[in-house]
Amino acid sequence: MPHDDRDVSVVVPPSSTAPPQDPAPAQAPDKPEIEAPPLQTVGRGYLLWLMIASFGGSLALMVPLSYSLAVRIDDLAPGHEERLGYVTGSAQAVYLVLSPLIGLWSDRTRSRLGRRTPFMVGGTLLGTAALVGVALAPSVLLLGLAWVVGMVGWSTAGQAIQNVQADRVPEEQRGRVSALTSVMTQIAPVIGIGLAYAVAASTFLVFLVPGVIGAALVVLFPVLRPEGDSRALVHSSGVTLKGMVASYGFNPRKFPDFGWNWLGRFVFFMGLYFNTAFGTFFYAQRLDLPVKEVAGIVAVIGTIGVVAAAGGAIGGGFLSDKLGRRKLFTLIGSTVFVAGAVTEAFAHSLPQLVVGAVLMQFAIAVFSAVDQAIVFAVLPDRAEAGRYLAVVGFAQKIPSAVAPLITPLVITVGAGAGGEKNYTQLYLLGAVLALAGGLIVKFKIRSVR
């Protein structure tokens, strides 16, 4: 008879001379401390509302970062654009410190609404209230304090949306879902700036309109696609200081590819944030326009850039899957970013600015989408994906906090007559860092093609 080689479990009976043994308790430490809900294939309806929630969260968070905070600071402290860096950088730093605690709390939350929904809704409410404070703040100091609250709120909501993806979406759908939600987060600021420009006569509405719309879209997701009761899930231990500290790190000698990818992402995103943090002031200087009149131009450039970004994310992801080559595309992304940054550095006309911005948006999308696939391939332990993905997140969060704080120093070195800021130097530095990040990923990672 032919032998059937299909997967068969073989049970060996215990020896007749030895009593049956209980399962060895030594195996317990290998089990994950937190029980996660099962992965489920997501349908089109679920994916649609996940994309809408991602759009809403990005709309509320990114419009202030890319436009309205600059306008508000220009009202309160004209000519002191460096204060934008202090405000945004400080808020990012505060969230950077709090985010692991919020993540641990979320992982262990047991409620009728689920683990992530309370943070999604709570963060949205906190962020919306903070936008009112930012719009009405009578000084830069109070504005900065209000924005710290806003950053924590909206970032918590966004983190909850990402955690839902990790909880729910199976491996075979992650690339597609990641690409589509990424496109939504890039479209949102462009549409949001257009909304802000439409109500530019009222500073209060500039903040509130994108914020309220974004809040509604985020909250609709758990309402229409409930997460499910999480009270049945268990965890085997509480949070300790030692465990929390240990969760921040990893052994780069034991997991070199994970370490090199982390470093490559860090360096690339440092260059990216150097070249995007002060975009509103940069365009105002190069086009010789008041800051308030830049919104329309930013919206036009952003709209064109979003098309390029969508093509970069989807095209890069699909091609890297088809060819089985990841690192090549991260290098292509970083190289194209250099071309865009150099174009911006020496641009003094709208067409040049458009070309540079489109190249950078395309490059960012290619690098981010494909490098995310590399992240999953080099994770040290998929059983602890939440922990390691949080560590990966710092490679982007730290530059977002540090770059705005360093940028004011960079643009004042070699500044022109009359205090004109040295944006050429800033954009060239961003180009060098982005290329270095791509080279690290391409030539140091060994286990991924």
Side-chain angles (χ1 to χ4, degrees):
M1 294 179 65
H3 178 65
D4 189 350
D5 285 329
R6 289 176 296 180
D7 185 21
V8 178
S9 297
V10 179
V11 179
V12 180
S15 169
S16 59
T17 61
Q21 299 293 316
D22 292 330
Q27 297 300 318
D30 293 332
K31 296 179 180 179
E33 292 185 353
I34 305 172
E35 180 187 350
L39 297 175
Q40 303 174 39
T41 301
V42 300
R44 292 181 180 178
Y46 188 93
L47 177 56
L48 174 63
W49 284 109
L50 181 60
M51 292 167 60
I52 290 174
S54 300
F55 175 90
S58 180
L59 181 73
L61 176 63
M62 294 306 299
V63 171
L65 285 174
S66 57
Y67 173 66
S68 51
L69 278 174
V71 171
R72 189 78 179 97
I73 287 176
D74 190 57
D75 286 339
L76 295 173
H80 291 279
E81 56 203 68
E82 71 278 359
R83 297 186 184 181
L84 174 64
Y86 303 146
V87 168
T88 57
S90 299
Q92 291 277 17
V94 170
Y95 180 69
L96 189 66
V97 173
L98 293 179
S99 60
L101 302 177
I102 296 171
L104 287 172
W105 186 12
S106 175
D107 286 341
R108 287 162 170 76
T109 295
R110 302 295 176 261
S111 76
R112 184 174 299 173
L113 298 176
R115 295 194 296 170
R116 315 305 183 185
T117 298
F119 292 86
M120 201 181 304
V121 175
T124 297
L125 295 176
L126 188 66
T128 304
L131 290 179
V132 176
V134 171
L136 301 178
S139 68
V140 174
L141 176 60
L142 292 177
L143 180 150
L145 293 174
W147 181 242
V148 167
V149 177
M151 171 65 71
V152 171
W154 289 117
S155 296
T156 297
Q159 183 176 329
I161 294 171
Q162 292 182 342
N163 288 339
V164 167
Q165 295 180 52
D167 291 342
R168 175 76 185 266
V169 180
E171 173 67 22
E172 61 271 17
Q173 288 189 299
R174 283 176 181 160
R176 183 191 319 167
V177 171
S178 178
L180 293 174
T181 54
S182 175
V183 170
M184 289 295 101
T185 60
Q186 296 196 42
I187 292 173
V190 178
I191 295 177
I193 291 174
L195 291 172
Y197 188 64
V199 295
S202 169
T203 301
F204 184 74
L205 293 179
V206 163
F207 284 92
L208 206 62
V209 169
V212 169
I213 294 175
L217 297 180
V218 171
V219 172
L220 277 174
F221 174 49
V223 170
L224 297 177
R225 291 293 185 273
E227 180 185 351
D229 196 318
S230 67
R231 288 175 294 179
L233 298 178
V234 298
H235 54 81
S236 61
S237 66
V239 179
T240 64
L241 179 60
K242 181 180 178 180
M244 186 170 62
V245 172
S247 70
Y248 276 84
F250 63 97
N251 187 339
R253 290 183 180 275
K254 188 175 181 181
F255 309 113
D257 282 354
F258 184 77
W260 284 119
N261 190 68
W262 192 98
L263 181 62
R265 284 175 69 92
F266 177 90
V267 175
F268 179 87
F269 279 104
M270 184 66 78
L272 184 160
Y273 283 112
F274 272 142
N275 290 12
T276 56
F278 279 38
T280 298
F281 290 121
F282 169 68
Y283 290 135
Q285 183 201 92
R286 291 302 171 90
L287 298 176
D288 195 23
L289 292 172
V291 173
K292 286 186 176 181
E293 295 183 17
V294 174
I297 293 171
V298 172
V300 171
I301 293 176
T303 301
I304 300 171
V306 163
V307 176
I314 296 173
F318 275 86
L319 281 175
S320 69
D321 279 345
K322 184 174 183 179
L323 299 176
R325 302 288 296 274
R326 306 290 192 194
K327 298 188 295 181
L328 172 64
F329 286 90
T330 58
L331 183 60
I332 290 173
S334 61
T335 304
V336 175
F337 186 93
V338 170
V342 171
T343 301
E344 293 273 273
F346 298 102
H348 287 84
S349 68
L350 184 58
Q352 289 175 309
L353 292 171
V354 170
V355 171
V358 167
L359 286 174
M360 287 199 298
Q361 288 295 324
F362 176 85
I364 293 167
V366 172
F367 182 94
S368 299
V370 179
D371 192 66
Q372 187 63 36
I374 294 177
V375 167
F376 286 113
V378 299
L379 281 177
D381 185 357
R382 286 194 173 276
E384 295 185 279
R387 168 196 168 185
Y388 288 111
L389 289 176
V391 174
V392 171
F394 283 114
Q396 184 171 347
K397 292 174 184 175
I398 293 174
S400 72
V402 172
L405 297 176
I406 299 176
T407 295
L409 302 177
V410 177
I411 62 177
T412 55
V413 175
E420 186 175 85
K421 303 301 189 292
N422 191 349
Y423 284 106
T424 298
Q425 181 171 258
L426 178 69
Y427 275 70
L428 292 178
L429 176 59
V432 171
L433 290 171
L435 180 59
L439 290 172
I440 290 171
V441 173
K442 176 67 172 70
F443 293 106
K444 300 302 293 185
I445 294 176
R446 302 300 183 189
S447 61
V448 177
R449 290 188 65 198

